[in-house]
Amino acid sequence: MNYKIVSDSSSNLLQGTQWFQSVPLKILGQQEYIDDGSQDIAEMVHHLKHFKGKSSSSCPNVSDWLDAFEGHQCIFAVTITQRLSGSYNAAVQAANTYREEHPDARIYVIDSMAAGPEMAMIVDKIRTLMDQGLDPDQVMEQVKDYQSHLYTLFCLESLTNLARNGRVNPTVAKLAGVLGIRVCGEAQQGQIVPIHKARGAKKALNTLVEMIVERGFHDGCLLRVAHCLAPETAQALGDAILEKFPNARFQMETTGVLCSYYAEQGGLMIGFEGAYNEKNHP
């Protein structure tokens, strides 16, 4: 079946293919950064770190989603958690409009309840199931089950942009970066929840490994780590997991504009498979 998967760019999947397209978010400040793979992330992070004015993120609008849907009868739209962005609502509105113009179209809008690697894992799962020849409704059933076994963790050296945009408590944000403290947390019901405050890189790494194991990660599971200008830290986490679980699958990638804005320099976003996750349901 001819199908298309569309995700907003918080998945960090920016390269389009015959079956996939990314709809970009933007960062607005002294200048505009479009999350389309064309930006110099290091330059953007440096600029925003020293920029004293206001900055914010902007989600795709209905027209952006409609343009991505055009020409396809089977469409899966994967969005960043609706608790943090209007991207999901825009995608739903676009899907309703598209159905009016194309009554036979089958469109499925998925709230990832996360951002970053977990979204990419959902995209890959959809593609695998569709390529197996399953009916789209069956694909959605299996994707929902798969999503209920996914987790997103984060480890951040700075929470400045999250706090400025109302995503985390400013008091918690002030701790990050002070005396080498890193904040480790989790996406719960689509919200960013700080859990541990680890002092130093080694302690933060050990904390992340413990959190991953506690959530049911085991040999054969997939661990996907996105980093903001911190490849050594991401690789160290992967190595630590592979030492415990030699048959685990590890993938490492860089964050795009949106995820780099919120993760900031040195930040990690971790998506992985584990036990049933009761906190990962829309």
Side-chain angles (χ1 to χ4, degrees):
M1 176 182 292
N2 182 26
Y3 68 92
K4 189 172 189 179
I5 306 172
V6 184
S7 82
D8 62 51
S9 59
S10 59
S11 67
N12 298 316
L13 300 173
L14 306 178
Q15 187 65 43
T17 67
Q18 183 178 3
W19 57 270
F20 175 79
Q21 183 173 338
S22 173
V23 180
L25 291 97
K26 302 174 183 177
I27 299 301
L28 307 176
Q30 188 177 31
Q31 63 191 78
E32 181 179 86
Y33 296 95
I34 301 174
D35 201 1
D36 60 2
S38 68
Q39 306 295 330
D40 183 332
I41 298 299
E43 183 279 328
M44 182 197 81
V45 170
H46 176 79
H47 169 75
L48 291 172
K49 183 178 181 179
H50 296 90
F51 177 54
K52 302 304 181 183
K54 292 182 178 180
S55 61
S56 62
S57 56
S58 174
C59 71
N61 59 36
V62 175
S63 295
D64 294 329
W65 285 103
L66 280 171
D67 289 345
F69 294 167
E70 190 58 43
H72 291 79
Q73 291 297 104
C74 181
I75 302 160
F76 298 87
V78 183
T79 79
I80 186 175
T81 169
Q82 64 175 307
R83 304 292 180 87
L84 300 179
S85 171
S87 185
Y88 174 82
N89 289 332
V92 169
Q93 292 180 49
N96 292 335
T97 300
Y98 195 79
R99 289 188 189 98
E100 292 176 1
E101 301 172 354
H102 307 275
D104 295 333
R106 303 175 73 174
I107 309 177
Y108 306 84
V109 181
I110 301 169
D111 177 359
S112 72
M113 300 293 290
E118 185 174 330
M119 290 179 64
M121 293 165 72
I122 293 171
V123 168
D124 286 348
K125 187 67 171 180
I126 295 169
R127 184 192 182 192
T128 297
L129 294 172
M130 286 298 294
D131 287 351
Q132 291 175 358
L134 272 66
D135 181 83
D137 288 342
Q138 294 176 310
V139 170
M140 276 302 301
E141 289 181 10
Q142 293 199 32
V143 167
K144 288 179 180 178
D145 179 69
Y146 182 64
Q147 190 176 359
S148 70
H149 290 80
L150 296 182
Y151 292 81
T152 288
L153 303 182
F154 59 85
C155 183
L156 307 179
E157 296 182 16
S158 171
L159 281 71
T160 300
N161 289 332
L162 284 167
R164 285 177 177 173
N165 288 274
R167 269 55 174 186
V168 297
N169 189 307
T171 302
V172 175
K174 288 180 181 178
L175 289 173
V178 177
L179 300 177
I181 289 177
R182 292 163 168 79
V183 175
C184 300
E186 181 178 20
Q188 296 181 2
Q189 295 295 338
Q191 303 271 30
I192 297 171
V193 181
I195 297 177
H196 299 290
K197 294 178 282 292
R199 179 166 293 174
K202 185 175 181 180
K203 177 62 175 176
L205 178 64
N206 292 336
T207 298
L208 286 173
V209 172
E210 290 173 2
M211 292 174 72
I212 291 168
V213 173
E214 286 171 357
R215 286 155 179 77
F217 188 90
H218 55 82
D219 239 353
C221 285
L222 171 63
L223 176 78
R224 191 162 181 156
V225 181
H227 67 87
C228 180
L229 308 175
E232 297 86 358
T233 308
Q235 186 63 56
L237 176 59
D239 291 344
I241 289 295
L242 289 171
E243 185 176 352
K244 281 184 170 291
F245 305 105
N247 296 313
R249 294 166 290 144
F250 170 61
Q251 296 179 8
M252 184 173 73
E253 60 207 38
T254 58
T255 50
V257 164
L258 188 281
C259 288
S260 295
Y261 176 68
Y262 286 117
E264 301 188 57
Q265 185 162 357
L268 299 182
M269 302 176 69
I270 305 112
F272 62 95
E273 300 167 347
Y276 178 75
N277 184 359
E278 62 181 9
K279 299 175 181 176
N280 203 32
H281 294 282

